[in-house]
């Protein structure tokens, strides 16, 4: 774990210098600015004042993801950390101009990799293509900001404390929040109440829609919040919570 701690500290400093130009700040104390949740103007000033990088498959995006710091409230190994970074990179790429129906289907079905049904894979590809057609766009994400992002890793036992509750009490809840309720959550709550200790990871980042598909003159930007839970049997991070503001269409995530 010493190697992970040293690497995390290095990446936290790298994130500041490489991916947040103009911001002479230390690693963020909390995600998403920490401003008061009742200030709409501050909300818009914050998300539209972020430095963005293109969401394109390749070294620039990979390096930005690798530089996101990890706040270790509980120990994880290097493979688990790599899984978090792969999840974020794969998610952004799958729904960008670098993505395609196969990458999107792979992301949707990532938790079923051991028993992937070819028919289900083809059906998921078709469903994704249908969603794109209904929303009249070819892809979803053009740019992303990871400046105030961090992977917050922690353990829970006995009682489930939702990410939305955490966001509400830390001045982070997005305006006009849309929530995706995932069926796994009921199972997780039951297992915690039964005394099982589980490891979770929270992540926030801001995505910007492509200019050519923007509804308004200025492309929309959306803070996106995800909670993942570690499944030791499948050795994969699984989706547990997702919520975001309404600036960029993300209801396609209901396919997760």
């Amino acid at each position: 774990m010493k190697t992970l701690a040293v690497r995390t500290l290095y990446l936290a400093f790298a994130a500041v210098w490489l991916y947040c130009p103009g911001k002479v700040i230390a690693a963020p104390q909390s995600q998403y600015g920490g401003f008061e949740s009742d200030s709409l103007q501050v909300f818009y000033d914050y998300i539209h004042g972020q430095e963005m990088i293109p969401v394109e498959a390749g070294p620039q995006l990979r390096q930005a993801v690798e530089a996101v710091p990890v706040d270790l409230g509980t120990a994880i190994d290097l493979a688990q950390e790599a899984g978090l970074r792969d999840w974020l990179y794969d998610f952004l790429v799958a729904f960008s101009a670098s993505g395609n129906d196969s990458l999107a289907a792979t992301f949707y079905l990532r938790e079923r990799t051991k028993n992937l049904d070819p028919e289900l894979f083809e059906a998921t590809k078709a469903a994704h293509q249908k969603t794109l057609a209904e929303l009249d766009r070819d892809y979803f994400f053009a740019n992303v900001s990871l400046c105030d992002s961090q992977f917050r890793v922690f353990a829970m036992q006995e009682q489930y404390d939702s990410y939305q509750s955490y966001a509400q009490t830390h001045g982070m809840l997005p305006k006009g929040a849309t929530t995706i309720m995932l069926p796994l959550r009921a199972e997780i709550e039951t297992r915690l109440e039964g005394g099982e200790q589980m490891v979770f990871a929270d992540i926030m980042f801001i995505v910007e829609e492509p200019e050519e598909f923007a509804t308004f003159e200025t492309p929309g930007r959306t803070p996106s919040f995800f909670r993942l839970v570690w499944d030791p049997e499948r050795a994969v991070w699984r989706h547990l919570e997702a919520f975001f503001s309404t600036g960029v269409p993300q209801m396609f995530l209901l396919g997760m």
Side-chain angles (χ1 to χ4, degrees):
M1 298 307 301
K2 182 177 180 181
T3 301
L4 175 57
V6 172
R7 182 166 177 258
T8 300
L9 181 61
Y10 169 78
L11 291 175
F13 283 107
V16 174
W17 290 103
L18 293 178
Y19 302 107
C20 299
K23 289 191 174 185
V24 184
I25 57 174
Q29 296 301 307
S30 64
Q31 299 177 44
Y32 193 47
F35 52 81
E36 293 297 325
S37 59
D38 60 354
S39 176
L40 186 61
Q41 187 58 53
V42 173
F43 169 81
Y44 285 119
D45 288 347
Y46 173 74
I47 63 173
H48 288 288
Q50 293 297 297
E51 296 284 348
M52 311 291 282
I53 62 170
V55 180
E56 298 175 352
Q60 182 185 20
L61 181 62
R62 174 60 75 176
Q63 289 167 13
V65 170
E66 291 293 322
V68 174
V70 180
D71 178 9
L72 285 174
T74 192
I76 60 173
D77 60 32
L78 291 174
Q80 288 172 293
E81 184 196 356
L84 286 175
R85 300 190 187 282
D86 288 344
W87 173 87
L88 179 55
Y89 179 85
D90 291 346
F91 169 70
L92 292 171
V93 169
F95 302 107
S96 72
S98 297
N100 53 49
D101 296 337
S102 292
L103 288 178
T106 299
F107 182 83
Y108 286 135
L109 301 172
R110 58 187 294 280
E111 298 175 7
R112 309 185 192 187
T113 52
K114 291 184 179 179
N115 298 291
L116 188 56
D117 184 336
E119 292 186 6
L120 177 60
F121 187 77
E122 292 302 318
T124 304
K125 287 171 57 178
H128 176 68
Q129 186 58 45
K130 180 181 178 181
T131 300
L132 288 172
E134 290 174 348
L135 293 173
D136 194 24
R137 55 184 60 208
D138 297 333
Y139 60 100
F140 294 101
F141 304 146
N143 299 299
V144 65
S145 171
L146 300 172
C147 287
D148 285 337
S149 300
Q150 61 176 319
F151 292 104
R152 189 173 71 96
V153 179
F154 57 97
M156 266 194 284
Q157 191 173 16
E158 296 183 354
Q159 184 175 354
Y160 184 76
D161 183 16
S162 74
Y163 192 11
Q164 276 196 298
S165 175
Y166 176 87
Q168 182 70 61
T169 58
H170 286 70
M172 295 158 39
L173 197 64
K175 299 299 178 181
T178 299
T179 303
I180 297 176
M181 299 299 293
L182 300 174
L184 178 62
R185 178 163 167 178
E187 175 192 330
I188 296 301
E189 290 180 354
T190 299
R191 291 167 63 179
L192 290 173
E193 291 170 359
E196 184 175 349
Q197 180 173 286
M198 309 185 76
V199 177
F200 302 84
D202 293 345
I203 179 70
M204 183 284 301
F205 47 90
I206 298 173
V207 291
E208 182 177 72
E209 67 181 338
E211 186 175 0
E212 61 267 37
F213 304 123
T215 303
F216 302 102
E217 184 177 349
T218 301
R221 291 186 180 183
T222 296
S224 304
F225 295 76
F226 288 85
R227 171 169 288 175
L228 310 176
V229 60
W230 177 249
D231 185 333
E233 294 183 3
R234 304 185 190 189
V236 67
W237 292 98
R238 302 182 67 186
H239 298 114
L240 188 56
E241 287 189 53
F243 57 98
F244 38 82
S245 62
T246 55
V248 178
Q250 293 198 59
M251 291 312 292
F252 63 90
L253 292 170
L254 286 171
M256 291 193 303

